[in-house]
Amino acid sequence: MYSHKYSLSIMQSDGNFVSTKSWLSRATLLTLFVSGVTACAPEPKQPDVVVVPTPQATVTVTATPQPTTTVVVTPSPQVTTIVKTEPITDVLVISNANKQTLVNRPVQFTNVNVQSVVGDRTFWVGSSNTQRVFVVLAPNLDAGTAENKVVVKKGQTLDLAGVLKPVPSVKQAQQQWKGLTAAEAQGLKNQIIYLEANQIRFKQT
């Protein structure tokens, strides 16, 4: 009797075991089935999204060269005008003109009278004390053999050629022209100009 209970107990246990085992098998199969179904189920298709980087706008800056303007300056040829000034031939022209405008003017006197002699190289020519010109012989007429030949005296008649020049200061005039007194130098200053004669000819009276 003991053994029969034992056997029944075992069988019951085995039945439970079998039942339990059977349940486990069904659960396993169910899990596998679900897994298979899940595995076989098509995955939701993701849309193909292609991320294309937005191209940066490329700005091409072309430097346009500034037009170069070449300025060619052609110097205008300087026109040298040589004015041939006619020489002054009359003492009255010098006496009555604005004497400062006559500086460097050429002079060509013919048959002028020597009014007075001031020094070795200086004298006055003209027709009167108000119409006269102070004359200074150029150095070439008062040097070497010319010094003995050129002797000017009052009352002589001469042909003279030369250039009008500005009168120096009183002190310079006395230093340059021997025999000129202070009073004469001062009076000469008022004349403004004088004739530097580089040619002289004595006329027969």
Side-chain angles (χ1 to χ4, degrees):
M1 183 175 178
Y2 175 78
S3 57
H4 175 73
K5 290 180 178 179
Y6 178 77
S7 298
L8 181 60
S9 176
I10 293 174
M11 188 174 64
Q12 290 176 347
S13 298
D14 290 342
N16 293 334
F17 174 76
V18 172
S19 178
T20 301
K21 186 175 181 181
S22 175
W23 180 83
L24 289 172
S25 297
R26 286 196 298 270
T28 302
L29 288 175
L30 182 59
T31 302
L32 291 175
F33 176 77
V34 172
S35 298
V37 171
T38 303
C40 294
E43 294 181 0
K45 189 175 181 181
Q46 297 293 328
D48 294 334
V49 178
V50 179
V51 179
V52 179
T54 303
Q56 297 296 321
T58 302
V59 179
T60 304
V61 179
T62 304
T64 304
Q66 295 297 321
T68 301
T69 303
T70 303
V71 179
V72 179
V73 178
T74 304
S76 301
Q78 297 296 324
V79 179
T80 303
T81 304
I82 300 176
V83 179
K84 185 177 180 181
T85 305
E86 294 295 328
I88 297 172
T89 59
D90 195 337
V91 174
L92 293 177
V93 173
I94 299 174
S95 301
N96 298 330
N98 181 353
K99 296 179 181 179
Q100 291 180 339
T101 64
L102 301 180
V103 174
N104 294 326
R105 285 285 302 274
V107 172
Q108 186 84 48
F109 288 154
T110 302
N111 296 326
V112 290
N113 296 322
V114 178
Q115 283 192 335
S116 62
V117 176
V118 179
D120 187 30
R121 297 171 50 208
T122 56
F123 51 94
W124 291 91
V125 296
S127 57
S128 66
N129 290 337
T130 58
Q131 305 292 330
R132 63 180 185 171
V133 176
F134 188 74
V135 181
V136 178
L137 295 178
N140 64 309
L141 296 179
D142 191 38
T145 57
E147 184 178 6
N148 296 327
K149 295 179 180 179
V150 179
V151 178
V152 179
K153 297 179 180 180
K154 182 180 178 179
Q156 289 177 327
T157 302
L158 308 174
D159 291 344
L160 294 172
V163 178
L164 294 173
K165 293 189 174 184
V167 173
S169 66
V170 173
K171 183 177 180 180
Q172 288 176 329
Q174 286 187 281
Q175 290 175 346
Q176 294 176 14
W177 305 322
K178 294 179 180 179
L180 194 65
T181 65
E184 289 172 332
Q186 186 62 49
L188 181 61
K189 185 65 179 178
N190 297 330
Q191 296 294 316
I192 302 175
I193 57 176
Y194 71 96
L195 171 62
E196 182 180 77
N198 49 40
Q199 293 180 16
I200 185 171
R201 178 183 296 174
F202 296 90
K203 307 298 288 286
Q204 297 293 329
T205 56

